[in-house]
Amino acid sequence: MSALTSRRLPTRRSLGTSTSSSIGSWPSGYAGPNFSPSGLRLIPRTLADGVHPLMASVPPKDNNGLIAGRDAALIVDAGITPAVSEQILSLAAELTDRPVRFLVNTTYHGDRTFGNQAFPADTVIVSSRPNKENMTDLGYEKQVRSGNMYGDEGLFDTVTRWRTPDIVFDSFAEIDLGGRAVQLWHFGPGNGPGNGPGDTVVYVPDTRAAWVGNLLCHEGIAPMLLQGGPEPYIHTLRAMKAALPDLETIVPGHGPAGDGHAAIDSLVTYLERLHEEVATAVEAGRTVEDTMATCTDPWAELCSSAPRRVVQHGRHARNHRAHRGRRPIRPDGRRRTRRTGSPARPAGRPFSGHPADSRPARRLHPGMARGGMRLHVGAPRRCAGPAFPSDARHA
């Protein structure tokens, strides 16, 4: 098969670098979602032969995925503990006889990556470059995720190392499972500042389905806006919609599956309104509290039955108001070490609404050796020599 063209999205100037410790507090009444694996059972669904969302029995605990081709299988996200990974691998063995050659981390967050250590050594872990760059401090990440464990923090004692991706990419890579291509995309900043976190979208063209991690949720569910601001997030969502015009189904990291373009349109509308109203409040000199009170609450009619969503919206307004003109930081005031930019994009051909990188993309083949040679599972194919160069790189 011929190599595909890799696509590098345009960089965006990072926000300012001044910070304030007052930004780091959560609004009164806010509590993180419960990601404890206690009581979690992953329920397989079928989108096509070999393509299975693994849906959490108790939302909003994490969803996962299994994608199998003729020669190999791929897992989407590893779970929050090694025990969850073992459940995923057990399900994979029931659903396919193909070997699990690849694991994709949609984000660096511990609820997606702490289980990496339980996967076999010959399973190649792939993610975006910003995700790997954020996987440097296991103790700190455990501390952050402890807020989602609701008394089960002791389960993190089984997480003894943070296994990081073996291969990283900047904007696009493709994995050939044998008769089934899986596209990996990083469209830009989403739930994080600057160029990260590196939300990785796992798209299966023949089923028109994508695993989207924290980037999107089902239309109508309160979105996450964890660290970043609306403007770069909107840019990312528009790039995704332009690049995946045939997208039908999204499998979010949390919550039910849904219509992909409807989810994008809904979130863009919310973020555009949030940005406009907060900008108006800043220009008028309103306080953070006044800004929260005057911004449109899209869930006002549901406030009596879903107060958490109202608190979530208030947190978005508060954070965006506090961060106007400044680089966002984590709720506890810390910033992770990360790359703040990438080389300026070359002038080139437009592709699906965003510029194309001039380098060919590498197709990652089943059984690929760490050294970059293309090795194959199953029947031999007419391909030899080194792997195609691309923006995917051995880490």
Side-chain angles (χ1 to χ4, degrees):
M1 294 183 179
S2 61
L4 299 182
T5 301
S6 104
R7 296 113 186 172
R8 183 184 297 277
L9 301 183
T11 60
R12 297 181 66 88
R13 184 177 61 85
S14 62
L15 298 175
T17 57
S18 62
T19 61
S20 168
S21 60
S22 63
I23 297 174
S25 60
W26 300 104
S28 175
Y30 178 80
N34 186 344
F35 296 160
S36 167
S38 295
L40 171 65
R41 184 169 59 92
L42 293 171
I43 303 173
R45 305 299 186 193
T46 301
L47 294 175
D49 184 31
V51 182
H52 304 280
L54 305 179
M55 307 301 291
S57 58
V58 184
K61 300 180 191 292
D62 291 76
N63 301 320
N64 297 86
L66 168 67
I67 305 164
R70 180 185 61 249
D71 304 323
L74 176 152
I75 297 293
V76 181
D77 287 324
I80 197 168
T81 64
V84 175
S85 295
E86 291 167 5
Q87 182 181 167
I88 294 169
L89 289 169
S90 177
L91 278 173
E94 294 176 11
L95 294 167
T96 182
D97 59 358
R98 307 303 188 263
V100 175
R101 296 297 193 211
F102 297 96
L103 166 64
V104 178
N105 293 149
T106 60
T107 182
Y108 68 87
H109 293 172
D111 55 311
R112 310 298 169 79
T113 60
F114 282 170
N116 285 0
Q117 70 177 62
F119 278 74
D122 60 354
T123 298
V124 177
I125 303 178
V126 188
S127 195
S128 68
R129 188 182 306 277
N131 277 338
K132 174 156 183 158
E133 290 176 346
N134 276 287
M135 295 173 68
T136 58
D137 191 338
L138 176 59
Y140 176 61
E141 182 64 13
K142 283 185 178 183
Q143 178 185 351
V144 171
R145 293 308 138 207
S146 291
N148 302 109
M149 293 297 282
Y150 286 74
D152 289 330
E153 296 85 353
L155 296 176
F156 284 162
D157 291 344
T158 62
V159 182
T160 57
R161 64 187 179 99
W162 207 0
R163 183 178 169 188
T164 60
D166 303 300
I167 293 178
V168 297
F169 68 97
D170 290 312
S171 57
F172 178 83
E174 187 171 60
I175 297 175
D176 178 12
L177 298 177
R180 170 164 283 140
V182 178
Q183 297 178 356
L184 307 182
W185 294 85
H186 172 46
F187 294 105
N191 283 304
N195 288 329
D199 298 282
T200 296
V201 172
V202 182
Y203 181 59
V204 186
D206 67 292
T207 62
R208 302 184 179 184
W211 279 256
V212 294
N214 289 342
L215 188 64
L216 275 174
C217 55
H218 189 289
E219 179 189 12
I221 292 179
M224 291 178 283
L225 191 55
L226 300 179
Q227 297 169 251
E231 287 185 296
Y233 204 163
I234 291 168
H235 172 83
T236 294
L237 293 169
R238 286 176 173 160
M240 177 180 174
K241 186 174 181 179
L244 305 179
D246 296 328
L247 173 65
E248 292 181 356
T249 304
I250 59 166
V251 182
H254 308 279
D259 183 299
H261 284 188
I264 293 174
D265 293 343
S266 176
L267 183 51
V268 167
T269 297
Y270 172 73
L271 294 174
E272 286 178 333
R273 183 176 59 230
L274 176 68
H275 175 70
E276 180 180 352
E277 293 181 346
V278 170
T280 299
V282 171
E283 292 171 1
R286 295 175 186 154
T287 65
V288 171
E289 290 71 22
D290 288 343
T291 301
M292 291 173 61
T294 56
C295 282
T296 301
D297 181 356
W299 302 286
E301 295 180 0
L302 301 174
C303 64
S304 60
S305 59
R308 282 282 299 282
R309 290 200 281 191
V310 177
V311 172
Q312 182 87 329
H313 168 70
R315 180 169 70 88
H316 294 173
R318 185 180 196 276
N319 286 348
H320 187 37
R321 169 64 179 83
H323 288 306
R324 281 284 293 167
R326 290 178 285 185
R327 173 181 161 189
I329 59 176
R330 296 189 70 98
D332 62 359
R334 288 187 59 173
R335 292 194 302 272
R336 294 179 182 273
T337 301
R338 59 175 177 79
R339 190 176 67 166
T340 56
S342 56
R345 63 176 176 86
R349 307 174 302 278
F351 173 81
S352 299
H354 57 77
D357 194 302
S358 59
R359 295 174 298 172
R362 181 169 66 197
R363 189 179 280 268
L364 308 178
H365 290 263
M368 185 185 61
R370 302 291 171 111
M373 300 297 290
R374 291 189 299 162
L375 307 179
H376 304 287
V377 177
R381 295 185 224 159
R382 289 180 297 172
C383 49
F388 297 113
S390 90
D391 75 352
R393 292 287 179 264
H394 286 283

